[in-house]
Amino acid sequence: MRAMAQAFLDRRGVENPRLEADLLVSHALGCDRLHLLMRLESPVLGSEVDRARDFLVRRGRREPLAYITGHSEFYSRPFLVGPGCLIPRPETELLIDLAKDESKARSLGRVCDVGTGSGVLAVTLVCEGIGDKLLGIDLDGAALEYACRNAKSLDAAVELLHQDGLEFLAGAEPFDLIVSNPPYVDPAVVEELEPEVREHEPALALFAPQGDPDYWVRELCALAASRALNPGGLLLVELGCDQGPRALSLAQVAGLEARIVPDLAGLDRVLWARRRA
Ligand code: GLN
């Protein structure tokens, strides 16, 4: 079954067919990969074969692995994910590292995660002890359901709001830290995305509004500089790798002290912008 599964995924263009075949078959058998390797000679039940086949067919249609297994890891913690929420990317962990640096330098009260999706940023910030009061906000109710489940399963006290983040910030009490991984993919490049992303992940979480990759950076900077941040407060926004120079100038034009932080691959990834004290 293992070799057949691998060959099937390979034919369907899945990138790591051997690993993914193992992960899907072990998920069907209810064990981890190590136990799968240990029980290779044991008989399997017909129902287990059916489950494995079902998972492999879904993966062959390029449904993301994380949607099939129902979980993904972020900052070494397990998060529930599924159709309707963006799967966390490793580079997004940089926002947490930067928030941690900030909380070492000064104490943080109110913290907001704008466009929280499955809640990875908001929940991880709580788990890492950053901020006194954490708020996660998203316009997408389906994604927020995952955030709610993740906050419960990781025992994180996060207040979740179902609302447009920009409208909310325009009327809310100011924050000491705002983090955001907004949609920044240019809809013009949709055909260049992998089918897992293009056909399965929520468009609302991926594609920049009005076809403008800088939309969220511009709006968040304007709000942060005028009212959404306390003086001295920090805004951290994830960027597409070609957005750095434009994001930096948008933040500076808004009056923020700003820099661009590269990810582990050396690509521009996060806008770090402080409201002057
Ligand atoms: N980094 C994600 C991707 O490239 C997009 C996430 C986002 O738009 N915030 O698929």
Side-chain angles (χ1 to χ4, degrees), residues 66-123:
Y67 281 0
I68 300 170
T69 62
H71 67 261
S72 179
E73 207 167 272
F74 186 77
Y75 224 78
S76 303
R77 292 187 182 86
F79 281 84
L80 303 163
V81 295
C85 76
L86 189 81
I87 299 164
R89 316 289 204 247
E91 56 270 25
T92 303
E93 295 185 348
L94 178 55
L95 287 165
I96 302 292
D97 290 336
L98 294 169
K100 275 172 109 170
D101 291 346
E102 180 70 358
S103 80
K104 278 181 209 145
R106 55 193 209 104
S107 82
L108 302 174
R110 284 163 55 77
V111 177
C112 185
D113 172 14
V114 183
T116 192
S118 64
V120 284
L121 287 172
V123 169

Side-chain angles (χ1 to χ4, degrees), residues 86 89 91 181-185 197 201 205-207 238 269:
L86 189 81
R89 316 289 204 247
E91 56 270 25
N181 175 17
Y184 54 69
V185 177
V197 180
E201 290 195 278
L206 288 170
F207 297 112
E238 181 170 319
R269 186 58 63 197

Side-chain angles (χ1 to χ4, degrees), residues 22 32 35 68 78 96-98 118 150 173 179 182 188 204:
D22 280 2
D32 61 22
H35 285 95
I68 300 170
I96 302 292
D97 290 336
L98 294 169
S118 64
N150 283 317
E173 292 284 301
V179 299
L204 192 62

Side-chain angles (χ1 to χ4, degrees), residues 40 48 70 76 81 83 92 105 136 176 185 196 208 221 231 270:
L40 280 180
E48 291 174 328
S76 303
V81 295
T92 303
D176 292 320
V185 177
E196 283 84 350
C221 284
V270 172

